[in-house]
Amino acid sequence: MRVVSARDFQSKRENDYGTPEQNETVKSIVNSVRAEGDIALLRYTEQLDRVKLEASGLRVTEAEMQAAYERVEPSFVTAIRAAADRIRAYHDKQKRQSWMDFQADGSILGQIIRPLRRVGVYVPGGKAAYPSSVLMNVIPAQVAGVPEIVMVTPPASGGEMGINPYILVAAAEAGVTEMYRVGGAQAIAALAYGTETIQPVDKICGPGNIYVALAKREVYGAVNIDSLAGPSEIAVLAEEGADPSYIAADLLSQAEHDEMASAILVTPSLSLAEAVSAEVERQLELLPRRDIARTSMDSYGAAVVTDSLTDAIDIINRLAPEHLEIVTKEPMAIVGQIENAGAIFLGPYSSEPVGDYFAGPNHIIPTNGTARFASPVDVDDFIKKSSLIYYSKEALLRDGETIMELARREGLEGHARAIGIRLDQERNTGGTTK
Amino acid sequence: MRVVSARDFQSKRENDYGTPEQNETVKSIVNSVRAEGDIALLRYTEQLDRVKLEASGLRVTEAEMQAAYERVEPSFVTAIRAAADRIRAYHDKQKRQSWMDFQADGSILGQIIRPLRRVGVYVPGGKAAYPSSVLMNVIPAQVAGVPEIVMVTPPASGGEMGINPYILVAAAEAGVTEMYRVGGAQAIAALAYGTETIQPVDKICGPGNIYVALAKREVYGAVNIDSLAGPSEIAVLAEEGADPSYIAADLLSQAEHDEMASAILVTPSLSLAEAVSAEVERQLELLPRRDIARTSMDSYGAAVVTDSLTDAIDIINRLAPEHLEIVTKEPMAIVGQIENAGAIFLGPYSSEPVGDYFAGPNHIIPTNGTARFASPVDVDDFIKKSSLIYYSKEALLRDGETIMELARREGLEGHARAIGIRLDQERNTGGTTK
């Protein structure tokens, strides 16, 4: 891992919006599914996933869900349940209530908070199938009160129709209410527009490959979508006295995700930077995924040495990292100065994987500097709000002229007259209640 | 206004994503501003707005802001202040607190809520310049605690450099902290990427023409943006006994907005539908904007007659209207059945313009059916959240093995080792605090 001075350090990656050919492919798939429904779904599943299904085979049955429990270790079921419980407990605290404000003039103003009715969760197939991500997408929706949570995931190739049993168990534990074996852009189109078998949803979330990401952009507007997640990132803000082996292990836990991942130490201590760098080299050699981790450390890893802790904090705020670990003598004293970071881990025992799997907060967190303006996935992502206005006659008689003045300044006489017709009539009838 | 049965009623409009030529123009403007900064801004302002400025003239001065107060009627200042106070009071109730949850094992989990640092608000020039929209975009940001709120608006053509004084006064009252006379796609690019004169922002909001809308889509990712607003909509759910003249006036107040606006009555009463339809014809002739209102009523207006109130509620939920008025005997009894509506107005005195200007809730509300999954603009649109995890040693020793199990099931050995290295070391040192 390179050790660099703050002056020489720069980090910037671009979002991937696909090639023109990929965009064309996705548009064509989405349009076909929208026009043809199930037939197109089955055709693309055969063509792209090499699995031949009938429409009746799209839905994963209750029996299959149950059978999956027999195919995983009991220790996994115990672990995923414990994780689900903790994630649910954290997200429960994010729940919000509708409110009403009763005014002295008899008016009522309010805000109604309701869950979305139906949400679709995409779960990738193959090696990128992570049971923990199923929990992190589904549980916030379930806590929000979404009654219908639909999961889609591509069937394994080779004609098996199979879905990873760990994914099925995680889905059942998290609270998925329907599941379909279909993936790719065709699954996104089905969730957005509906087919004979799959009813359309209000929002689609979950990670996927470039075709899935482009399809989500394509259907946005017909339904809501979550944000596009970029490669994983960790920044560690540490001082002299921190354990270099812990920091190195945490940096590598992000670097092993993929070759685009970024793992950065920021510290005023040159000796800590050098010690961590050496530890990274040592631990890297022992990792099963060392080739991936090596590439990402070489491309995006760095130990950045600053003149002061204040300068280190500035760099963190400019990076706006997805994950930030603060390993200083008094980490809580620094949190208030961190303006931009998706998830903040404090002290030597809050290793980032604690948050990936178990602590409770969501592990789907803004990447690529977007923590400046975006937030981790939470219950708010699965609700909608309506404003409520009950204006009393007294309030309208009091405020009517002011409202008409504002409407007329904007040249909207029709707006003014909607008020005026009431003022005229209520005044003419002597203000009797009507 | 046509009276139709529920069976024959359909409503669907498409979003406008611009022509390929418009998209190319916008991309080229955005790229030029990004590459050249102020020089490109000034060139486009001369070319498109026909106003020749120097870089030093981009910023609207404090003196100009003050001078605007002399150019508007005192009654307008009084009215806009009253409206701003009410809007601020409503949005104040949406403010949320950061929270921490102290666990028995010494761990702390939390959610930190912070305002965005810098927000850009686009305000259109010309006839579409609405002081009320300035309040509705700026006040939620100000209530959220955003310290820097930057307004951009195109200078009037004809070489005057002028900005509508009503807009300037509304901006000052709402709490804008900086203002620049620049509009169009070039203004959006400046807010997203910054120039020598204009520092970049974290989020851009506010309405604009198709070029502004496309530019916002183009820069999304570098900054956050608000949702694209479609044409205005109102649905009125009413029963026999409602005053047809009030309903007609409210329908027309939306129809006068633009030719794409939609105004729909849904009622189980044929006689009410006919009476409202006749009133619409009568009032329409008297409106200054009757040509616009006529076109929108002919294209998108309808009085839909249903078999029952329940059927009427179903239609409302399918429409998911931006504005919904409920004018029935007991409107509060119906609110609970309304699943999809951006803003809900109850009873005969809650005329929709009350909400446009004065009541307090935001008037920027999801259109075109997106109230199914989206919400009115509010304080939440100007904050970001960070998760906080402080795991105690006790908690890590208790949960570590479970976390390692989950990591290994996903093939992420590096994640497991970040935990394992701590478990090994803490157990070897006999569990002393470290």
Side-chain angles (χ1 to χ4, degrees), chain A residues 94 340-341 348 384 386 422, chain B residues 111 340-341 348 384 386 417 422:
Chain A
Q94 295 171 332
N340 302 319
K384 60 195 172 192
S386 302
R422 289 167 165 90
Chain B
Q111 183 174 274
N340 302 319
K384 60 196 173 191
S386 302
R417 290 191 188 172
R422 287 168 166 89

Side-chain angles (χ1 to χ4, degrees), chain A residues 208-329:
Chain A
N209 64 19
I210 183 70
Y211 294 97
V212 170
L214 294 176
K216 280 160 67 180
R217 275 168 57 96
E218 183 68 21
V219 302
Y220 174 61
V223 297
N224 204 354
I225 59 170
D226 60 358
S227 307
L228 272 63
S232 196
E233 303 160 351
I234 187 170
V236 178
L237 175 68
E239 276 178 325
E240 196 74 46
D243 187 321
S245 70
Y246 291 7
I247 293 173
D250 293 355
L251 293 173
L252 287 170
S253 78
Q254 292 310 290
E256 77 168 348
H257 264 296
D258 75 71
E259 291 161 358
M260 295 282 290
S262 138
I264 294 165
L265 167 67
V266 186
T267 178
S269 161
L270 176 61
S271 66
L272 180 68
E274 287 173 343
V276 170
S277 181
E279 262 294 317
V280 164
E281 298 303 325
R282 195 185 66 76
Q283 294 183 24
L284 185 51
E285 286 311 310
L286 308 170
L287 270 189
R289 292 166 70 94
R290 59 184 159 269
D291 291 346
I292 293 171
R294 163 69 67 198
T295 305
S296 90
M297 286 310 272
D298 286 351
S299 309
Y300 302 106
V304 182
V305 181
T306 60
D307 290 339
S308 66
L309 193 59
T310 307
D311 287 354
I313 292 169
D314 283 350
I315 286 185
I316 297 295
N317 280 327
R318 270 188 280 140
L319 281 175
E322 180 190 20
H323 304 100
L324 170 66
E325 289 186 4
I326 304 179
V327 195
T328 59
K329 288 172 200 77

